[in-house]
Structures are given as structure tokens and as C-alpha cells.
Amino acid sequence: YTLAGIILLLLLHPDPLLVAKAVANQAAQGSQSSSDLEATRDGRKGIILGALIMIITQIVMVAIMTMTPVHMKHHGHGLGEVGLVIGFHIGAMYLPSLVTGILVDKIGRIAMAMASAVTLLLAGVVAALAPTDSMVLLIVALSLLGIGWNFGLISGTALIVDSTTISNQAKVQGSVDVLIALAGASGGALSGMIVANSSYSILSYAGGILALALLPIMLWMRSKRA
């Protein structure tokens, strides 16, 4: 982290925030247009929707990911096998980012958020149905879980960026990041309680269903914006 900070401090010039502020100031007309109030309302909806997408995808991802090693150890898998499954999962969380960004721009934020919900549902179903001795299906399930999280994080972030201004963007994103961290912590804690009182399969199904609940929310928000 220290080395990353030093690299950014020395090499990230000009500062993107300063550039963005300069561009915004150039574009400003000095007076609010008649559509500013409506834009503010749309902005709030976009912030709420973006935050919901990221919070729900974080809960689902952390809950299933946290209990997968426990589930595997209970059924005789070694640490190397656990590491392999989680390694595929972590790779699937971050490696698709460049492609995901392009898709979010090309086909839209809402469409990619819907893809996130469907992918997380598939991850939950595969994880729930996978035989305990099937490494292949566990890898598929956790890879889908990572990809679904990636879709949700990037599409939700893009919605928030679209719905904020230079003056409040950092504050809003920081607040949402705090909520995401709390959601992840809650998902990890609750997942253990669910598995202890039911099963890993029930947790996986519950995660998939929770992710799928995003679809009606997004459709409703899209209709309101239209």
C-alpha cells in the first residue's frame, strides 16, 4: 500500500480530480437550467440504485465465499483444494474488469447490473447443487460468484459516478464504500449462522434469491426514470 501510494504521488500527474474540476468549470454556464431540479432527482435515484446493487452483490459474494472453505473442509477437501477454488474466485472477481468496463459503456449500466443478478443466482444454484466431491463444479460456482460481483461493482459504481457531480462525488462514493464494507461484514457474520443452523446449500440458494431480488428493483427504477 505504501509503495502504491508513492507511485501515485510521484507519477499520477496531472491529478484526475483537478482535471475533472477544470472541465466542469469550463462547461458551467453560471446559472442553473430549468432541468437542474429533475437532474437532481434522477441523480438521487441513480445513487440509491447504484448503492443497492453494490451492497447486495457484496453481501451475496462475501456470504457464499466465506462459507465455501468451511464447507469444503467439512467434506474432506485439503487446504490446497480450498486454495485452488478461492484462487479461481479471486481471479474471477478482478480479471474481467477491463472487459466489464467496456460492456458497461456499450450495453448500459442497468443491463450489466441485471447480468450481475443472474450470474450470482447461477453461482448460488451451482454451489448448492454441486456434489461435495466435485472440484470442477465448486470452481465453476465460485468463478461465477466472482464474475457476478465484478459486474455488480462496476455497473453500480458507474451509476453513482453518472449521478454525482465533481463537488459531491468523493463524498458520496466514500459513504457508499462504508456501507459496502458493513454489508460485507454482515454477510460474513450471518453466513456462519445460517450454515450452522441449516446448510451450505440453503445459504447458496438464499444468496442467489437475494441477488435476483435486484431485478424488480432495477426494472422499477428504470420505469420511474423513463
Side-chain angles (χ1 to χ4, degrees):
Y1 283 140
T2 301
L3 289 173
I6 291 171
I7 290 169
L8 291 173
L9 180 65
L10 295 178
L11 300 180
L12 190 64
H13 296 289
D15 188 317
L17 179 60
L18 298 179
V19 173
K21 285 181 176 178
V23 171
N25 289 336
Q26 269 192 333
Q29 298 298 317
S31 62
Q32 289 187 327
S33 68
S34 60
S35 63
D36 279 350
L37 181 59
E38 189 63 34
T40 300
R41 288 172 180 165
D42 287 343
R44 287 174 184 163
K45 292 175 185 175
I47 291 168
I48 292 170
L49 182 57
L52 276 174
I53 291 167
M54 289 193 284
I55 288 169
I56 290 177
T57 54
Q58 182 78 357
I59 291 173
V60 173
M61 186 277 291
V62 171
I64 297 176
M65 176 195 69
T66 300
M67 285 297 105
T68 297
V70 177
H71 170 70
M72 293 179 68
K73 289 291 285 183
H74 279 172
H75 290 89
H77 291 280
L79 190 59
E81 292 173 310
V82 171
L84 181 63
V85 171
I86 297 301
F88 271 95
H89 168 67
I90 299 298
M93 286 174 64
Y94 297 106
L95 289 176
S97 295
L98 291 174
V99 175
T100 303
I102 294 170
L103 291 174
V104 167
D105 282 339
K106 293 290 185 183
I107 68 176
R109 282 78 164 120
I110 299 297
M112 287 302 294
M114 290 180 175
S116 168
V118 173
T119 305
L120 290 172
L121 172 65
L122 289 174
V125 171
V126 174
L129 296 178
T132 56
D133 61 347
S134 176
M135 282 291 293
V136 172
L137 287 179
L138 286 172
I139 287 172
V140 169
L142 270 290
S143 296
L144 287 171
L145 188 69
I147 292 170
W149 177 86
N150 180 277
F151 288 172
L153 182 78
I154 295 178
S155 60
T157 301
L159 275 169
I160 288 177
V161 171
D162 292 344
S163 304
T164 52
T165 62
I166 295 301
S167 61
N168 70 352
Q169 203 166 81
K171 180 180 178 181
V172 171
Q173 185 68 60
S175 299
V176 173
D177 285 346
V178 171
L179 294 176
I180 292 169
L182 292 173
S186 301
L190 289 172
S191 66
M193 296 169 62
I194 293 171
V195 171
N197 290 283
S198 55
S199 68
Y200 177 77
S201 295
I202 295 296
L203 172 69
S204 300
Y205 282 130
I209 292 169
L210 178 60
L212 197 63
L214 278 172
L215 291 179
I217 295 172
M218 287 184 286
L219 290 171
W220 179 75
M221 292 290 287
R222 173 183 271 183
S223 67
K224 295 290 282 186
R225 295 175 81 176

